[in-house]
Amino acid sequence: MAEENEGRKAIFRIPVIALFGVAFLMVCLAPTAFADVPGLWVLYVVPLALLVFVVRTRTVATAKGLTVRTMFGRRELPWEALKGLAITGRAQVRAVLTDDTQVPLPTVRTRHLPVISLVSEGRFADPSGLTDDLLGKAKDGEAAKDGEAPEDGETTKDGEATKDRDTTKDGETTDEKQADDE
């Protein structure tokens, strides 16, 4: 079965280095958990729950939409079902659905909004304006595919700039002509 090209993909998760903190907690609990008091080994439930939380919690953004994974569940949010994104006072981001309900996006912060804008292919504007030129180039690339010639200073499909090259009547570029003259 052939894989579909999903385009860009961004995964927002808790850094893996947090597992070292969980391991340190388990080591620190060892003297207490295995003391002479029976049943204290149950204290290991806390670091194991933290381990599951760190490994499972994430938000994945693809061209199709957002996937929110929490400790006990998973929810698919296609871009069409989203009205927008809301920012809380603590710089956390929530997805606002078309029925005005809000879904928290774990591990996504305001600094991640340009990435979400790129992955969503412009469905959500970047409030910082960092991705405006990148999305503009992508739209110009689509126009070039449709048969429109790029203007001077723009790039062609293969990424070469057209500003510094002129084409002669023979179809050679000035760079090729200068190389032939030498």
Side-chain angles (χ1 to χ4, degrees):
M1 197 167 16
E3 284 186 27
E4 292 181 23
N5 186 5
E6 292 184 15
R8 294 183 171 118
K9 180 178 182 178
I11 301 173
F12 306 101
R13 62 178 168 215
I14 299 172
V16 178
I17 196 78
L19 294 176
F20 286 117
V22 174
F24 182 71
L25 179 62
M26 291 180 90
V27 169
C28 290
L29 281 177
T32 306
F34 296 111
D36 290 336
V37 180
L40 281 182
W41 56 269
V42 175
L43 289 174
Y44 273 116
V45 169
V46 173
L48 289 176
L50 285 173
L51 177 80
V52 170
F53 178 77
V54 168
V55 171
R56 280 217 25 107
T57 303
R58 68 184 60 192
T59 301
V60 179
T62 62
K64 295 177 183 176
L66 296 171
T67 303
V68 179
R69 254 179 52 181
T70 59
M71 195 164 162
F72 298 112
R74 178 180 184 195
R75 186 166 183 183
E76 298 279 337
L77 302 171
W79 294 118
E80 295 78 29
L82 297 179
K83 183 189 241 182
L85 300 172
I87 301 171
T88 66
R90 298 178 65 192
Q92 296 173 337
V93 179
R94 294 174 184 246
V96 180
L97 302 177
T98 53
D99 61 353
D100 289 332
T101 59
Q102 293 188 1
V103 177
L105 301 177
T107 67
V108 176
R109 301 292 178 260
T110 55
R111 67 178 179 263
H112 299 133
L113 292 178
V115 176
I116 291 176
S117 176
L118 281 175
V119 171
S120 72
E121 298 172 350
R123 289 182 183 98
F124 289 101
D126 175 21
S128 67
L130 293 173
T131 61
D132 292 343
D133 58 339
L134 293 173
L135 291 173
K137 285 181 183 178
K139 289 179 183 176
D140 289 343
E142 289 175 10
K145 285 180 187 176
D146 293 338
E148 296 178 18
E151 297 176 13
D152 284 346
E154 295 182 358
T155 56
T156 59
K157 184 178 176 184
D158 55 356
E160 295 182 22
T162 60
K163 184 176 184 178
D164 299 329
R165 298 185 336 181
D166 293 326
T167 306
T168 63
K169 287 182 180 179
D170 302 341
E172 294 181 324
T173 61
T174 54
D175 297 335
E176 292 171 0
K177 190 172 183 178
Q178 288 174 356
D180 290 341
D181 291 339
E182 293 175 3

